[in-house]
Amino acid sequence: MEPACRKDKPKLNSTPTRGDRARQKSAQQELKQRQRAEIYALNKVMTELEQQQFEAFCKQMQSQGE
């Protein structure tokens, strides 16, 4: 085996720098906030729909009772 062959491959710096880690953390936090906002919006829509369906059910039960 020739040691010269090993020198052909440059070492890659695979460890992220401080700036890269900060950007990744910031991106993660933004994604989390966005997902949380979407969940709250979906929850609001579903709650309103459930309320509408409940009111319609109550009206239907009142009309059947009369």
Side-chain angles (χ1 to χ4, degrees), residues 4-59:
C5 293
R6 298 177 124 193
K7 292 181 181 179
D8 290 342
K9 296 182 182 179
K11 290 186 179 181
L12 297 176
N13 188 4
S14 62
T15 58
T17 62
R18 187 179 303 167
D20 290 340
R21 280 181 274 177
R23 278 190 289 276
Q24 284 179 342
K25 188 174 182 178
S26 176
Q28 270 309 103
Q29 287 176 338
E30 287 177 18
L31 177 63
K32 240 182 188 178
Q33 287 176 345
R34 181 173 164 236
Q35 288 175 334
R36 185 178 183 134
E38 289 175 359
I39 289 170
Y40 278 116
L42 179 60
N43 189 33
K44 181 180 178 183
V45 169
M46 295 301 291
T47 301
E48 291 171 356
L49 177 63
E50 185 179 12
Q51 184 63 32
Q52 289 173 0
Q53 290 176 340
F54 177 71
E55 289 170 1
F57 172 76
C58 289
K59 285 180 183 178

